[in-house]
Amino acid sequence: MGKAHIIEVIDSHTGGEPTRVVVSGGPDLGEGSVADKLRVFREKHDHFRRAMVTEPRGSDVLVGALLCEPLDKSCETGVIFFDNATSIGMCGHGTIGLITTLAHMGRIKPGEHRVETAVGVVSAVLHEDGRVSVKNIPAYRKAKNVKIEVDHLGCISGDVAWGGNWFFLIDAHDLTLDLAHVDKLTDVTWEIRQAINTQGFPEVDHIILFSPSRSVGAHSQNFVLCPGKAYDRSPCGTGLSAKMACLAADGLLAPGQVWRQESIIGSIFEGSYEPIEGGIIPTITGKAFITAESRLLLEKDDPYQWGIL
Ligand code: PYC
């Protein structure tokens, strides 16, 4: 047996979407901001990303959150989010999972806590009942009513918006949003992603379909395709931020008004916003639950210690 490198992680889920917080044993990313550290992580430690979230230790749906030293000392921690395909700038469900994990570790108590992400500082309120409200970085719509041609589907129209990640948001379609149709929804949104990337918006890495919700009290249900072709089990915090930026730009959601977004599995995030010049500051609220405290072992002679390529 080879000598194992040990990594401590705490797993949680937020509305069904898992987050694996790497608490210790991560790579040295040097000095600087979390954005600087993300560059080092991408260039030199992509194998670490794979080892944490892909098979055989993880799965396509797992999102990783690597704790790191923040440059902004008003922050409780810095964090780099990543998934089965890449590292991502910000993650709403992941921030709710991270705050819940820090509380579980005894590092924080209910109240407001700042977190430095690769795309800016977010602030999160841990409520007494365990819910977490994340005040995100500014969100805005970049383009309205973008028309793209998609093989097998024809012309699709949607909005391109930023909510911490780049989204293409589609309201007009005739697809059924439920778990029985997940394979079809995945195939279709994957095709849409290729099309929007080659037809003017190469930055878009998440695709969202919306439909009216069948649940009492929810304004809408969504299906969110993530960069690595997994779908988000949660309503997607950065996606909800992008959605509210579009609703605000169209005059369909007033400042402070609550939007209840349901995910494809039925979990709900609440969102509201404050207007700013050119966009909004979104706040999203949800609840995470701890599912595991683990020590991951990376044995030197394990041919799959960095995941299955
Ligand atoms: O909640 O922002 C989010 C998110 C992004 C990818 C998966 N979840």
Side-chain angles (χ1 to χ4, degrees):
M1 255 179 38
K3 195 172 169 336
H5 177 63
I6 295 170
I7 293 153
E8 286 180 310
V9 300
I10 297 181
D11 290 355
S12 61
H13 79 84
T14 313
E17 181 77 352
T19 306
R20 172 164 287 172
V21 177
V22 179
V23 172
S24 73
D28 179 1
L29 302 175
E31 301 299 314
S33 66
V34 173
D36 297 328
K37 290 181 171 141
L38 174 67
R39 274 188 287 279
V40 177
F41 187 67
R42 278 192 175 145
E43 280 163 22
K44 301 203 173 131
H45 301 283
D46 200 52
H47 54 292
F48 183 84
R49 175 190 62 75
R50 276 190 275 110
M52 292 301 99
V53 294
T54 67
E55 294 179 22
R57 290 181 200 81
S59 78
D60 280 352
V61 66
L62 196 50
V63 171
L66 173 62
L67 297 187
C68 57
E69 195 56 34
L71 183 63
D72 181 335
K73 297 300 174 207
S74 71
C75 292
E76 175 62 33
T77 186
V79 64
I80 292 175
F81 292 111
F82 51 91
D83 66 13
N84 58 334
T86 185
S87 35
I88 55 176
M90 170 48 195
C91 183
H93 93 267
T95 304
I96 295 169
L98 166 64
I99 291 294
T100 304
T101 297
L102 294 176
H104 176 77
M105 293 168 73
R107 271 184 60 170
I108 60 168
K109 298 246 173 294
E112 189 170 345
H113 307 280
R114 285 160 61 82
V115 175
E116 185 178 328
T117 76
V119 292
V121 171
V122 301
S123 89
V125 174
L126 172 62
H127 302 280
E128 292 287 346
D129 64 2
R131 286 175 313 124
V132 177
S133 296
V134 180
K135 191 186 256 199
N136 199 357
I137 55 158
Y140 63 96
R141 177 162 69 189
K142 181 176 182 182
K144 179 179 164 73
N145 248 330
V146 175
K147 292 189 174 31
I148 51 164
E149 279 300 324
V150 185
D151 289 347
H152 308 118
L153 291 174
C155 185
I156 294 274
S157 167
D159 292 357
V160 175
W162 168 257
N165 295 296
W166 280 106
F167 292 86
F168 186 51
L169 305 100
I170 304 148
D171 282 314
H173 59 83
D174 56 7
L175 296 151
T176 306
L177 300 198
D178 63 23
L179 280 175
H181 291 86
V182 155
D183 289 346
K184 163 107 178 154
L185 295 169
T186 302
D187 290 346
V188 166
T189 46
W190 190 248
E191 274 196 59
I192 293 173
R193 167 145 182 220
Q194 316 305 315
I196 188 79
N197 286 168
T198 53
Q199 294 175 40
F201 298 92
E203 67 275 34
V204 169
D205 53 5
H206 292 68
I207 308 294
I208 313 189
L209 300 168
F210 294 92
S211 275
S213 170
R214 290 173 291 259
S215 305
V216 180
H219 295 95
S220 152
Q221 187 173 26
N222 67 15
F223 174 85
V224 184
L225 183 80
C226 296
K229 215 176 176 180
Y231 68 90
D232 196 335
R233 276 65 172 165
S234 86
C236 191
T238 50
L240 174 53
S241 300
K243 171 73 175 172
M244 289 192 293
C246 297
L247 290 167
D250 288 334
L252 296 174
L253 189 69
Q257 196 182 338
V258 172
W259 181 267
R260 285 170 63 82
Q261 183 65 55
E262 182 184 14
S263 75
I264 192 71
I265 70 161
S267 54
I268 295 208
F269 284 170
E270 285 187 356
S272 62
Y273 75 89
E274 293 161 30
I276 52 166
E277 184 66 33
I280 62 165
I281 303 281
T283 297
I284 52 153
T285 300
K287 188 164 179 172
F289 297 86
I290 303 295
T291 54
E293 294 177 322
S294 319
R295 297 164 81 224
L296 305 184
L297 306 185
L298 275 67
E299 291 196 314
K300 283 200 169 50
D301 59 352
D302 175 357
Y304 299 112
Q305 67 167 304
W306 303 116
I308 301 169
L309 274 178

